[in-house]
């Protein structure tokens, strides 16, 4: 599964794996792909440095990258406390009532929330970059589109490639104009923040829009046959996230959540603003239903919604309150029906890819060639 981009990066397979878990990122790189660690959950530079130390030591000398969340436009002088003060009391009351309805216990006195989306704040992401550039990362990806121009320049000065996610050809063209090196065409099927265009339609549109920049296809991809389809559509690789959630290296800290993922079908996800304030595909739960109910107060814009629900999500996860328990995940969850190692996922991807290539060769009258 090699392309011009994979050869440029020195990886065996053109599979880029996004994950919040250092052990998964390291395993992806060791398996011949490109592990990308998500930084949004890190609340302090020391926490990120600790995990990058571990990742660097366990990636087997293979390349890896970091994914941050930064708006393209800089906002000066806004602190987390300023943002917190913008949250209406009615929304806070709605959170309390929803948790009480399901009997969700409080955190222990003085126990910090284990899940704060402070990473959506630009100043936090910038401190993460100060740490990351001390490591030999080969790729910096931004989940909110093109990062600020000075960040792109800073990465390029260190010979770090910059990738940005796009949900439309229009967004992709803006990334090209901003000096981005790789565009990730993320379709409607993907977990997390997504647009409204399906991967099959979006990928060739983006490939044409940004040619000759390399494009990675994302959304609904979890088999080797789908990897082959993405490359056929013009992509130079695939960006996979959801499929790693049920690997043995993943550390969800919630057996109940793993069970829910393994049992879910492709129709058991929903695009909801409940988690961050922007449409993000996730498991459908009574929590997402409550926020999407027209009778409720409605969600707040990013980053208010993320800060509003941070402690609630921590409590739901800690006590594994199953009716409310969810996670960002794509429609590919319907194929995630067993726990496997990262290497086993790669073995399946390569076997499926080879079968797809052989099938196309037979259709094209090139039986026996590869």
């Amino acid at each position: 599964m090699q392309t011009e981009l994979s050869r440029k990066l020195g990886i065996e397979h053109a599979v880029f794996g996004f994950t919040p878990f250092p052990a998964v990122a390291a395993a992806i790189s060791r398996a011949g792909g490109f592990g990308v660690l998500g930084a949004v959950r890190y609340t302090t530079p020391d926490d990120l440095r600790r995990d990058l130390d571990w990742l660097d030591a366990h990636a087997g000398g293979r390349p890896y990258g970091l994914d941050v969340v930064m708006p393209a436009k800089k906002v000066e002088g806004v602190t987390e406390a300023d943002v917190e003060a913008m949250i209406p009391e009615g929304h806070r009351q709605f959170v309390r009532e929803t948790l009480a309805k399901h009997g969700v216990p409080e955190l222990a006195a003085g126990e910090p929330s284990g899940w704060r989306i402070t990473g959506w704040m630009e100043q936090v992401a910038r401190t993460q970059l100060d740490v990351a550039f001390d490591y030999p990362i080969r790729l910096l990806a931004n989940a909110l589109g093109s990062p600020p121009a000075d960040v792109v320049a800073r990465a390029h000065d260190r010979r770090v490639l910059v990738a940005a996610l796009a949900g439309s050809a229009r967004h992709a063209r803006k990334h090209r104009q901003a000096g981005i090196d790789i565009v990730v065409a993320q379709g409607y099927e993907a977990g997390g923040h997504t647009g409204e265009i399906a991967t099959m339609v979006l990928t060739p549109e983006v490939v044409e829009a940004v040619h000759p920049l390399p494009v990675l296809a994302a959304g609904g991809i979890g088999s080797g046959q789908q990897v082959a389809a993405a490359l056929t559509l013009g992509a130079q690789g695939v960006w996979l996230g959801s499929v790693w959630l049920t690997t043995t290296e993943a550390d969800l800290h919630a057996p109940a959540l793993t069970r829910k993922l393994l049992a879910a079908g492709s129709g058991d996800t929903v695009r909801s603003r409940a988690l961050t304030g922007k449409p993000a595909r996730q498991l459908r739960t009574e929590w997402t239903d409550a926020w999407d109910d027209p009778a409720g107060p409605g969600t707040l814009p990013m980053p208010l919604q993320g800060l509003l629900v941070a402690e609630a999500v921590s409590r739901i996860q800690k006590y594994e309150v199953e009716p409310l328990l969810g996670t960002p995940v794509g429609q590919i969850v319907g194929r995630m029906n067993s726990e496997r190692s990262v290497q086993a996922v790669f073995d399946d991807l390569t076997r499926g890819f080879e079968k797809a290539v052989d099938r196309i060769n037979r259709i094209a009258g090139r039986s026996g060639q590869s």
Side-chain angles (χ1 to χ4, degrees):
M1 297 189 290
Q2 281 215 337
T3 65
E4 181 181 348
L5 178 60
S6 67
R7 287 188 286 270
K8 178 178 180 179
L9 289 169
I11 57 177
E12 185 178 354
H13 304 299
V15 175
F16 294 72
F18 165 79
T19 174
F21 307 116
V24 176
I28 291 168
S29 291
R30 290 197 309 271
F34 192 102
V36 182
L37 180 66
V40 72
R41 70 189 182 96
Y42 291 98
T43 57
T44 71
D46 288 343
D47 289 341
L48 178 59
R49 189 177 300 279
R50 177 201 64 221
D51 280 1
L52 283 175
D53 280 341
W54 192 96
L55 173 55
D56 194 59
H58 290 83
R62 305 291 184 89
Y64 60 88
L66 191 74
D67 179 278
V68 297
V69 178
M70 298 187 74
K73 296 181 179 178
K74 187 172 183 178
V75 179
E76 299 281 359
V78 178
T79 67
E80 184 178 342
D82 294 331
V83 177
E84 286 268 14
M86 301 177 189
I87 298 173
E89 177 56 31
H91 282 73
R92 296 186 187 277
Q93 181 61 27
F94 181 75
V95 170
R96 290 192 290 266
E97 290 173 354
T98 303
L99 295 178
K101 176 182 176 182
H102 292 273
V104 182
E106 297 275 357
L107 296 175
E111 180 180 358
S113 169
W115 192 88
R116 296 286 289 175
I117 307 190
T118 53
W120 304 116
M121 308 290 289
E122 182 187 350
Q123 62 266 34
V124 176
R126 286 183 176 274
T127 63
Q128 292 170 346
L129 293 178
D130 291 339
V131 172
F133 286 137
D134 288 338
Y135 294 82
I137 63 171
R138 295 289 306 281
L139 177 72
L140 174 66
N142 188 38
L144 283 185
S146 304
D150 68 295
V151 172
V152 175
R154 189 178 177 191
H156 286 167
D157 286 345
R158 290 163 173 78
R159 297 186 178 180
V160 175
L161 297 178
V162 180
L165 276 65
S168 71
R170 178 173 60 87
H171 293 153
R173 292 187 190 97
K174 290 183 177 180
H175 296 343
R176 182 184 60 186
Q177 294 167 0
I180 298 303
D181 304 293
I182 301 169
V183 177
V184 181
Q186 179 158 284
Y188 174 83
E189 306 94 324
H193 296 118
T194 69
E196 298 183 351
I197 305 173
T199 305
M200 179 66 75
V201 175
L202 179 65
T203 301
E205 287 186 352
V206 172
V207 168
E208 181 177 350
V210 303
H211 179 77
L213 289 185
V215 172
L216 303 179
I221 301 172
S223 72
Q225 290 88 340
Q226 291 166 318
V227 175
L231 300 190
T232 302
L233 292 172
Q236 287 203 30
V238 293
W239 177 275
L240 308 184
S242 298
V243 71
W244 315 113
L245 289 173
T246 52
T247 56
T248 53
E249 292 90 347
D251 190 9
L252 290 176
H253 296 295
L257 180 54
T258 299
R259 290 195 300 270
K260 290 186 75 170
L261 288 169
L262 295 175
S266 56
D268 293 328
T269 68
V270 63
R271 282 174 79 243
S272 171
R273 298 177 183 268
L275 188 62
T276 69
K278 285 184 176 289
R281 187 171 296 284
Q282 55 203 282
L283 279 181
R284 182 177 181 178
T285 66
E286 293 188 29
W287 178 256
T288 62
D289 286 348
W291 282 105
D292 296 338
D293 189 338
T299 56
L300 298 171
M302 179 186 282
L304 301 183
Q305 182 71 15
L307 293 171
L308 168 66
V309 305
E311 181 180 325
V313 172
S314 287
R315 290 163 60 185
I316 292 166
Q317 291 178 342
K318 176 178 180 178
Y319 298 109
E320 299 191 66
V321 184
E322 292 205 32
L324 304 179
L325 187 61
T327 186
V329 69
Q331 292 179 333
I332 198 64
V333 71
R335 294 182 60 96
M336 296 158 48
N337 50 25
S338 65
E339 290 188 80
R340 300 176 294 166
S341 68
V342 167
Q343 183 62 60
V345 172
F346 268 89
D347 291 343
D348 285 347
L349 289 174
T350 53
R351 282 193 295 265
F353 182 83
E354 290 168 357
K355 288 180 180 179
V357 171
D358 288 344
R359 184 181 301 118
I360 294 299
N361 280 333
R362 288 196 301 272
I363 293 171
R366 295 193 296 267
S367 180
Q369 299 182 27
S370 61

